[in-house]
Amino acid sequence: VGCILIVPLGIKVVYFFSLAVKKEFRNQGIATNLIKHSEEIMRKKGTVEFGLLVLSKNDELIKFYKERGFDTSGKNYFYMWK
């Protein structure tokens, strides 16, 4: 139904690399619960900061994460790979 992939970036920082919910199960709070429970688990392990990457033009997704306590860095980032 849904999954979240968390990548540790040291002891106190984790990166939510991927969050997905199957289309027919969206808007039921599944993504919110995945984030909430992941944060709870990682805080118990000492994590104090959570990061993720959202395209700066994806206003709907930025709004989604802001409603869950995340804030933007104010910078436009490029994800580059080869």
Side-chain angles (χ1 to χ4, degrees), residues 5-76:
L5 175 60
I6 302 167
V7 177
L9 300 175
I11 298 171
K12 297 185 183 253
V13 179
V14 298
Y15 177 68
F16 291 142
F17 183 76
S18 177
L19 172 63
V21 176
K22 208 170 183 181
K23 196 169 194 169
E24 61 264 31
F25 294 98
R26 291 181 185 164
N27 299 310
Q28 297 179 31
I30 294 168
T32 299
N33 283 324
L34 285 169
I35 292 168
K36 180 181 173 185
H37 291 298
S38 297
E39 285 183 15
E40 288 172 2
I41 291 166
M42 297 312 296
R43 284 191 195 283
K44 287 179 184 174
K45 295 178 180 269
T47 300
V48 296
E49 188 175 333
F50 301 86
L52 53 91
L53 181 67
V54 178
L55 295 175
S56 62
K57 295 179 182 179
N58 193 337
D59 294 330
E60 185 178 346
L61 197 52
I62 291 169
K63 181 178 182 257
F64 171 84
Y65 284 116
K66 280 188 170 186
E67 289 172 348
R68 282 143 191 89
F70 290 86
D71 199 6
T72 59
S73 64
K75 299 177 182 176
N76 295 323

